């Protein structure tokens, strides 16, 4: 799942360094919105603005954890 998410996000946001130690600082509001929308569509989960926290978007691993949590809640 991690590689699928990484590829999806790298294709959509090619200028973002997804290996950054603090990914959230690399994102602007459009980047955050893009991530939430793409993951919602791809995994058929509901991500809201309250999910867009520095903790949830800190790294690829934290994004994967967020997606897995939302899938489990369905």
């Amino acid at each position: 799942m991690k590689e699928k998410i990484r590829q999806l996000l790298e294709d959509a946001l090619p200028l973002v360094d997804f290996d950054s130690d603090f990914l959230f600082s690399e994102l602007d509001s459009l980047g955050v919105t893009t991530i939430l929308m793409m993951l919602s569509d791809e995994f058929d989960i509901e991500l809201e603005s309250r999910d867009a926290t520095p903790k949830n978007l800190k790294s690829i691993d934290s994004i994967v954890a967020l997606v897995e949590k939302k899938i489990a809640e369905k």
Side-chain angles (χ1 to χ4, degrees), residues 15-70:
L15 301 178
V16 175
D17 177 11
F18 286 97
D19 293 316
S20 171
D21 289 336
F22 197 63
L23 177 59
F24 189 78
S25 66
E26 301 251 340
L27 300 170
D28 59 12
S29 60
L30 183 58
V32 170
T33 303
T34 299
I35 288 173
L36 295 180
M37 286 177 33
M38 291 193 72
L39 294 176
S40 292
D41 291 345
E42 182 70 24
F43 296 100
D44 192 31
I45 54 177
E46 192 168 318
L47 292 170
E48 301 169 8
S49 58
R50 69 171 186 251
D51 295 315
T53 64
K55 179 182 174 193
N56 286 339
L57 300 176
K58 181 180 179 197
S59 65
I60 284 287
D61 289 332
S62 61
I63 293 172
V64 170
L66 172 65
V67 170
E68 288 174 342
K69 181 179 130 200
K70 291 293 185 173

